[in-house]
Amino acid sequence: MNRRTFLTLAALSGTTATAGLAAGCGSDAEPHPAPPPLDLSTPLRIPPLLNPATEPDGLRRFELITFAGQSELLPGKPTTTWGFNGAYLGPTLRAGRGDRIAMTVRNTLPEATTVHWHGMRLPAAMDGGPHQLIAAGGHWSPSWTVDQPAATTWYHPHPHGTTSRHVYRGLAGLFLIDDDQDTRLPTAYGTDDIPLILQDKKLTERGGLDGDPMSGPFGILGDRILVNGTYNPRFTVTTARVRLRLLNASNARMYHLAFADRRTFHQVATDGGLLPAPVAATTLDLTPGERAEILVGFAPGDNVVLRTLDNGLDIAKGDLDLIRFVAAERLSPAPELPAALPAPEPIVPPAGAKVRHFTLSGRDSINGRPMDMQRIDEVVPAGAVEI
Ligand SMILES: [Cu+2]
């Protein structure tokens, strides 16, 4: 079972709502008008980079603090949201393979949460799952050595039964892992290496988060898209090619991404890290929790919208515009598209590898049994390769 499955299960698992978050956030009684057409004109917010230097003791110290704060998800309409080191989302953490990480997470929220490093290879005790609650007012200090190839990973709460509410409120951020090898991919954060955290929301007329992310069999589908917490966003392109690091941090929505002019782009990475070579594509599917990296070429003066298409196959209906890219009249040159990438070795199951079957049913059952914090159903040895 992979982490995406765990996340989806957490999002689908039902428990009694926590006081203060019972309605997700806003109230369903408030008017919920259809969103007006977008002009995609608001400068895209880029989450600040947290990239601390290595200290003399060899550690890189990161500090995250959960806050309840005020955000303007809709302009001029402040509303209460949650975030790390700010009111909504969290900083982008960046570390290299082999780095020794000393993390401190302080929780100033009125309820317990956890911080799970989604996509990070680390000891179970550092993983921030439901068993590693950080009490209201408490803190948690996991530490580990980064031991995996370059990848786009992310972090978010994982408390049992309230994961979806905590993420919907705004608790999520990226954690970029660099490897030593020069891949000739863009790496100038915020300039040609751009994070795009995709989230759909239901918002009230007063700008509050509406609806219950635990509602319905699949979770909530919003009719407004935030990219890095920015509604109606635009990004100004200054280089001839950009690397987009896409994260689907939505509760239930699948994205079927395409540019309005159907231009070809190249996918260079998935959840697991770099691909062996760039793959040309015109559409890209992204499920909740999933990441992908793409390279997109631009000509001077280009003006193109990235949208999600209605493919007629899943619960989200209708096309939605996500973000507009406007290329400057003069673009800095970009490195050539690499012919090959330093992808990790393929995972090959050994002959006779153990095969496990998991059947998901109802809101919270796996193989017919609901999640129970006190029970362990499956034990996989560290380092094992199974099917
Ligand atoms: Cu996750």
Side-chain angles (χ1 to χ4, degrees):
M1 175 172 300
N2 64 26
R3 294 197 179 151
R4 187 186 318 159
T5 312
F6 273 125
L7 179 79
T8 308
L9 289 172
L12 295 179
S13 63
T15 58
T16 307
T18 306
L21 285 174
C25 310
S27 159
D28 284 320
E30 288 184 43
H32 183 258
L38 302 179
D39 63 359
L40 300 169
S41 61
T42 305
L44 176 71
R45 176 177 173 264
I46 301 291
L49 197 61
L50 200 56
N51 194 8
T54 303
E55 295 185 20
D57 61 4
L59 295 177
R60 301 186 68 207
R61 287 185 167 77
F62 292 84
E63 184 162 80
L64 294 174
I65 305 178
T66 62
F67 282 107
Q70 294 284 305
S71 296
E72 289 191 8
L73 300 181
L74 295 181
K77 298 184 176 182
T79 188
T80 299
T81 56
W82 288 1
F84 295 100
N85 301 7
Y88 191 81
L89 295 178
T92 296
L93 315 183
R94 191 159 206 168
R97 190 171 198 174
D99 286 356
R100 292 165 59 210
I101 305 292
M103 185 72 64
T104 300
V105 183
R106 300 183 192 285
N107 180 18
T108 74
L109 299 172
E111 63 181 272
T113 190
T114 83
V115 179
H116 166 59
W117 318 104
H118 183 138
M120 189 79 68
R121 179 184 180 191
L122 37 54
M126 310 299 171
D127 199 35
H131 296 81
Q132 285 133 6
L133 280 175
I134 313 167
H139 71 276
W140 180 55
S141 300
S143 59
W144 69 91
T145 299
V146 175
D147 181 22
Q148 70 194 76
T152 298
T153 76
W154 66 300
Y155 60 96
H156 65 82
H158 207 317
H160 182 55
T162 50
T163 293
S164 58
R165 289 194 182 90
H166 287 204
V167 177
Y168 192 67
R169 276 234 153 174
L171 292 174
L174 285 167
F175 199 148
L176 311 184
I177 299 171
D178 300 317
D179 211 339
D180 285 339
Q181 293 147 301
D182 171 20
T183 66
R184 289 164 290 137
L185 293 173
T187 57
Y189 182 78
T191 301
D192 61 11
D193 183 357
I194 313 299
L196 295 180
I197 302 173
L198 308 178
Q199 298 178 301
D200 60 335
K201 304 287 180 186
K202 278 182 77 179
L203 299 176
T204 66
E205 203 165 6
R206 288 187 292 177
L209 287 165
D210 198 2
D212 182 351
M214 307 288 288
S215 65
F218 298 108
I220 200 168
L221 282 174
D223 52 8
R224 311 222 195 201
I225 305 287
L226 303 180
V227 183
N228 301 345
T230 317
Y231 181 61
N232 196 31
R234 167 194 305 241
F235 181 75
T236 302
V237 174
T238 59
T239 57
R241 188 174 289 116
V242 297
R243 175 190 198 172
L244 302 179
R245 296 185 191 250
L246 298 153
L247 162 64
N248 181 351
S250 307
N251 179 247
R253 178 177 291 275
M254 280 184 63
Y255 294 85
H256 311 289
L257 301 169
F259 288 92
D261 61 3
R262 296 298 190 275
R263 71 179 54 199
T264 297
F265 54 83
H266 288 82
Q267 184 170 5
V268 292
T270 67
D271 286 323
L274 295 173
L275 295 168
V279 176
T282 55
T283 62
L284 174 72
D285 290 349
L286 210 60
T287 55
E290 190 174 8
R291 290 86 62 210
E293 298 180 32
I294 63 174
L295 297 180
V296 189
F298 290 94
D302 267 359
N303 184 331
V304 63
V305 170
L306 179 67
R307 57 176 52 137
T308 181
L309 307 176
D310 179 355
N311 70 350
L313 294 177
D314 64 15
I315 52 176
K317 297 300 175 199
D319 296 353
L320 284 175
D321 288 350
L322 304 179
I323 179 172
R324 182 189 305 279
F325 293 90
V326 179
E329 290 301 329
R330 280 186 171 189
L331 298 176
S332 303
E336 289 298 307
L337 197 65
L341 297 165
E345 288 295 309
I347 296 171
V348 181
K354 183 167 176 61
V355 178
R356 297 177 200 256
H357 294 271
F358 296 95
T359 302
L360 315 184
S361 58
R363 284 184 68 96
D364 65 349
S365 284
I366 306 170
N367 292 348
R369 307 182 82 186
M371 156 78 173
D372 182 339
M373 294 276 280
Q374 307 305 321
R375 197 188 68 234
I376 295 172
D377 295 332
E378 306 280 345
V379 177
V380 182
V385 176
E386 301 188 344
I387 300 169

